[in-house]
Amino acid sequence: MFPGFYEEIHEEFREVVREFVTREVTPHYRRWDAEHIMDRGIWEAAAENGLLGLAVGEDHGGMGLEDYRFRMVIDEELARADALGLALALHLHDDWVLPALRGFGTAAQQQTWLPRFMDASFIASVAFTEPGAGSDLRGVRTKAVRDGEDWVLNGQKTFIGNGISGDGALVLARTDGSDVKQRGGAGSFSLFLVEKQDNPGYQVGNQLDKMGLKASDTAELFFSDVRVPAANLIGEEGQGLQIAKAILPQGRLAVATSAAVVAAEVLDQTMTYVQERRTFDRPVAEYQNTRFRLAELQVSLEVTQRYVAAAVERFDAGELDVVAASKAKMWATERAKEIIDECLQLHGGYGYILEYPVAQAYLAVRLMTIFGGTSEILRETVATDLLR
């Protein structure tokens, strides 16, 4: 879908992913979407096929595939199968939680946790957002208090993907004892890897009924006197916001690449549709309006693909910072939203029917301008850098 971007080794990997999707995803995905949750077995199957924790090094049993194009291949094949909810669930696990552990976990933590991220014995959520604190993480009120060899965690999180099906979460909590009614400072927060099992105070609230991506479960989480071993503190005490910022480039790149991938797949499907669909005894593709719109959408897509590809290359070289990742996400998600909206229009009434992939994509891409930092926050990030 990204012309000229992949090499032979990526296409070989694509065959593995495509076979996995055909065998393990496509026969079940419609049921998962209807039930608003996926079978645990899909995670285990993904692990058996080596599709979890691609970047984990050989010293921890992984393949060390740090080239982000491999991750994009998974997205492309899931988009082709209209399995966008699974794509989101995998991103939460691999692009938001795993980088914190790989970048800031101790040797002992990595030895303990990385194999579990790859063998599907620990499915992770990222639990930063709260009812009153979305993009403004300094407004987080969940707190943790040291008690001997443990931390005692109390608070609430919301909009947590994998919140029901997951085994635990990377939780941002206030650890400086400050008044939670006031915004915290740069050193007020810490990150903890919190397990659900054998933790009665770790309660999963209501499953949230989303517009789209329904196969990926989303829930509220409640922590009531949850005891977290001090060994589960990721990084240093008070380093939570710095780590959250450090993982933003990969997290936002993940959303940007996903947006470009979904837009490309939907536009390709639309090209086929308008040539087959007939109105007034001729194909929709023969109308000048259709042709002009398609031409503009294709140019917009190609510009987006090239911009995102450049961001991927910078990431692989270790040079993608928060500002550059924010630019890529802002551009790609906004363009994808526009492209898919136009594609839905070209489908006419059928575009409004959820059975059609374009309708599912329309609902999915609407999240992308919000998740991982809203477009408004990204514009502020870019503007602040410009005017500094």
Side-chain angles (χ1 to χ4, degrees):
M1 293 183 185
F2 276 63
F5 192 47
Y6 297 108
E7 300 171 16
E8 183 177 353
I9 191 170
H10 301 106
E11 298 305 332
E12 292 172 356
F13 180 70
R14 185 185 302 279
E15 292 304 313
V16 174
V17 179
R18 185 169 296 179
E19 197 276 332
F20 161 78
V21 172
T22 300
R23 184 183 69 251
E24 304 289 351
V25 179
T26 300
H28 312 291
Y29 191 80
R30 184 162 293 188
R31 173 173 59 83
W32 296 339
D33 202 58
E35 295 175 354
H36 296 194
I37 197 165
M38 293 177 285
D39 296 337
R40 178 70 180 214
I42 190 58
W43 290 94
E44 296 163 354
E48 290 171 3
N49 284 269
L51 304 184
L52 298 182
L54 297 183
V56 176
E58 296 179 3
D59 52 337
H60 291 106
M63 295 185 291
L65 300 178
E66 297 196 48
D67 179 347
Y68 201 78
R69 287 176 292 181
F70 287 103
R71 190 68 196 74
M72 292 173 65
V73 167
I74 296 177
D75 263 359
E76 289 184 347
E77 293 307 311
L78 290 174
R80 191 189 306 272
D82 191 29
L84 303 180
L86 177 55
L88 171 62
L90 294 176
H91 275 302
L92 291 168
H93 183 76
D94 272 6
D95 287 308
W96 289 91
V97 183
L98 189 58
L101 181 59
R102 290 187 63 230
F104 297 91
T106 64
Q109 288 173 332
Q110 292 179 2
Q111 190 68 33
T112 299
W113 290 96
L114 290 180
R116 297 186 64 190
F117 271 74
M118 291 184 294
D119 68 11
S121 62
F122 186 83
I123 306 306
S125 307
V126 55
F128 293 176
T129 303
E130 298 186 0
S135 298
D136 179 17
L137 294 182
R138 291 197 183 191
V140 162
R141 294 189 174 191
T142 295
K143 64 179 181 179
V145 178
R146 187 68 182 258
D147 183 22
E149 294 302 309
D150 297 333
W151 289 84
V152 179
L153 184 68
N154 284 278
Q156 176 184 356
K157 301 292 182 177
T158 194
F159 309 141
I160 308 304
N162 300 340
I164 296 174
S165 59
D167 301 297
L170 182 67
V171 179
L172 182 69
R174 193 174 298 215
T175 52
D176 67 347
S178 60
D179 182 357
V180 297
K181 294 181 181 180
Q182 305 295 325
R183 293 178 75 245
S188 297
F189 305 90
S190 302
L191 280 174
F192 300 89
L193 207 49
V194 185
E195 291 193 81
K196 184 189 302 181
Q197 186 175 8
D198 300 325
N199 245 330
Y202 188 132
Q203 295 291 322
V204 177
N206 294 327
Q207 181 168 8
L208 302 177
D209 191 9
K210 307 189 298 289
M211 289 172 55
L213 299 166
K214 292 180 180 289
S216 171
D217 62 277
T218 303
E220 297 173 300
L221 299 181
F222 298 91
F223 304 106
S224 178
D225 292 332
V226 173
R227 300 196 74 85
V228 184
N232 287 28
L233 173 68
I234 303 299
E236 302 292 334
E237 180 181 341
Q239 201 179 10
L241 291 183
Q242 293 92 316
I243 297 175
K245 182 177 180 180
I247 65 177
L248 276 180
Q250 181 168 345
R252 287 180 175 170
L253 179 67
V255 185
T257 57
S258 297
V261 162
V262 174
E265 177 61 26
V266 171
L267 184 54
D268 186 63
Q269 293 170 356
T270 303
M271 298 283 190
T272 300
Y273 178 84
V274 297
Q275 292 177 77
E276 295 175 350
R277 175 70 172 166
R278 300 178 69 86
T279 63
F280 299 98
D281 204 31
R282 60 172 172 161
V284 173
E286 290 188 3
Y287 292 93
Q288 187 183 65
N289 178 70
T290 302
R291 301 167 72 84
F292 281 8
R293 284 191 176 189
L294 290 174
E296 292 171 353
L297 295 179
Q298 182 63 30
V299 172
S300 180
L301 175 65
E302 290 182 16
V303 170
T304 301
Q305 287 177 321
R306 288 180 180 273
Y307 192 38
V308 169
V312 171
E313 290 170 351
R314 290 182 66 179
F315 176 78
D316 286 344
E319 299 171 354
L320 188 72
D321 60 18
V322 172
V323 174
S326 298
K327 291 176 181 177
K329 179 185 180 299
M330 181 181 71
W331 177 269
T333 57
E334 292 291 347
R335 299 296 79 71
K337 185 173 69 172
E338 294 169 358
I339 289 169
I340 293 172
D341 181 70
E342 288 281 357
C343 287
L344 189 150
Q345 187 72 21
L346 289 170
H347 276 74
Y350 289 100
Y352 200 66
I353 305 302
L354 289 176
E355 183 178 342
Y356 276 69
V358 67
Q360 295 289 341
Y362 180 84
L363 295 174
V365 78
R366 195 61 192 84
L367 174 65
M368 293 179 182
T369 60
I370 300 171
F371 171 61
T374 64
S375 291
E376 290 73 23
I377 290 294
L378 302 184
R379 292 184 182 105
E380 184 64 28
T381 299
V382 174
T384 298
D385 181 71
L386 286 173
L387 301 173
R388 179 174 295 144

